[in-house]
Amino acid sequence: ELSALKKRFEELFNSGYQVCCLGKCASLQNDMQGLYLDQEQDGTTLILKKPQMAFLSEMLPEKKHPGISSSFESFDQLKDAYHEAFLLRKAAFCENRSVSNLQEMKHHIPEAMLTEVQKLLSEEARIRRVQTVGGGSTEELIEYWNQFFQVVRSGRMTPDEFSQVLSEFLGDLKDIYKSVVGEGEMAPLYPVFAYDGLDEYKDVFMEKILKLHEDVKKQVEYRREKKKIEEAVEYIHQHYSGELNMAIVSNHIQMNYYIFS
């Protein structure tokens, strides 16, 4: 298979090429000279002759945050070129900025911050993330996830750690709230790097999570009220021969009179 590819695209590879990884970008397919690969999980990969790379600055808006490899000459180096481009792409995605070389990815992160990140990767933090949905106020949920995404954007959490945390979180939501989460409802959140950048992904993520949060709270409230009504019916059964009215029963189950009504 590799031999067939090499023979078919020999001219492209022998004249020198670069690999570019970015989010979903079908509009480029008809404007480029090279190979266009639409990958389900990782967005789009372009393999272009070196002179063709100049068109990216014109065709790609800044917010696309591509990862572009250095120049390669041999087909046998294609895998290395792709890994370099995708590594840069993941860093550019998380930091919402262009990352032009591997050296730019090296940050000096204080030990205290690294310790903070390790806490975010712990099992306790995994449980805490699930509890933000339906378990507290909307303000608490927003504050928690804003801080989480800020940690990712600052480079303190690696792109692979971020992807792993999100995968675990969405899997846990599906298992725990299966009666609330609709089939395929969270599917758009799984191909993380298919989005242009972290900010775009965060907007979609927060919209989905806030909706789920409200749905879970409504279900919890419904079950709570259902239980109180069952207590009210039991009280009526036991005291039907005595004095009964709405105020007495609602007071017994500690529910607001008008809500009970």
Side-chain angles (χ1 to χ4, degrees):
E1 191 175 66
L2 289 173
S3 178
L5 285 172
K6 184 176 182 179
K7 185 177 181 179
R8 182 177 179 184
F9 301 109
E10 187 173 11
E11 182 183 348
L12 171 65
F13 292 107
N14 287 345
S15 60
Y17 65 93
Q18 288 174 277
V19 174
C20 173
C21 294
L22 62 159
K24 294 290 185 182
C25 200
S27 61
L28 291 175
Q29 190 167 3
N30 299 322
D31 299 314
M32 53 171 282
Q33 294 179 20
L35 304 183
Y36 174 97
L37 307 174
D38 185 11
Q39 297 171 274
E40 184 64 31
Q41 292 300 317
D42 299 331
T44 302
T45 296
L46 312 176
I47 306 174
L48 303 173
K49 291 182 179 181
K50 281 190 290 186
Q52 279 292 306
M53 294 304 289
F55 98 100
L56 287 177
S57 59
E58 301 174 4
M59 298 299 298
L60 287 180
E62 183 67 23
K63 68 176 183 177
K64 285 293 183 182
H65 309 304
I68 303 173
S69 76
S70 52
S71 298
F72 287 82
E73 304 293 335
S74 168
F75 172 84
D76 297 329
Q77 296 175 300
L78 181 58
K79 181 181 284 188
D80 294 333
Y82 170 75
H83 283 306
E84 181 182 314
F86 190 47
L87 195 62
L88 291 169
R89 159 62 183 157
K90 290 189 289 186
F93 171 94
C94 288
E95 298 177 30
N96 276 296
R97 68 183 183 94
S98 297
V99 180
S100 58
N101 57 66
L102 296 175
Q103 196 64 32
E104 281 191 47
M105 293 175 53
K106 296 180 180 178
H107 304 282
H108 175 67
I109 302 175
E111 191 65 32
M113 289 186 175
L114 289 175
T115 302
E116 175 190 349
V117 171
Q118 289 306 309
K119 290 180 180 178
L120 285 174
L121 300 176
S122 67
E123 188 64 24
E124 182 180 350
R126 180 174 177 172
I127 296 171
R128 171 77 181 92
R129 278 188 285 275
V130 176
Q131 290 175 339
T132 62
V133 180
S137 68
T138 301
E139 291 74 19
E140 290 171 339
L141 181 147
I142 293 174
E143 181 181 3
Y144 177 88
W145 286 103
N146 278 340
Q147 292 175 352
F148 175 83
F149 280 102
Q150 182 55 42
V151 168
V152 178
R153 187 179 292 106
S154 69
R156 285 173 277 170
M157 181 180 290
T158 69
D160 289 339
E161 289 171 338
F162 165 68
S163 180
Q164 178 186 342
V165 166
L166 264 293
S167 179
E168 290 174 349
F169 172 69
L170 295 172
D172 291 340
L173 286 185
K174 188 175 180 181
D175 291 340
I176 295 171
Y177 300 119
K178 60 181 67 177
S179 62
V180 182
V181 179
E183 185 66 31
E185 189 172 343
M186 294 296 167
L189 298 177
Y190 278 100
V192 174
F193 299 114
Y195 287 84
D196 287 339
L198 188 69
D199 286 347
E200 183 191 29
Y201 181 82
K202 179 187 174 185
D203 289 343
V204 178
F205 176 89
M206 292 304 296
E207 180 183 351
K208 293 283 186 184
I209 296 306
L210 285 170
K211 180 182 182 302
L212 178 60
H213 176 68
E214 292 303 318
D215 290 345
V216 170
K217 288 184 70 174
K218 287 177 182 177
Q219 187 180 78
V220 170
E221 187 62 30
Y222 169 76
R223 288 175 178 173
R224 185 182 295 120
E225 291 185 356
K226 184 171 183 290
K227 184 176 180 181
K228 283 185 175 292
I229 296 301
E230 289 171 350
E231 291 176 3
V233 172
E234 181 63 26
Y235 182 83
I236 293 169
H237 284 169
Q238 294 176 2
H239 300 87
Y240 68 91
S241 60
E243 184 180 357
L244 275 180
N245 58 47
M246 293 287 287
I248 291 175
V249 180
S250 63
N251 184 62
H252 173 74
I253 62 173
Q254 298 181 327
M255 180 182 282
N256 178 277
Y257 177 91
Y258 294 100
I259 293 177
F260 178 62
S261 177

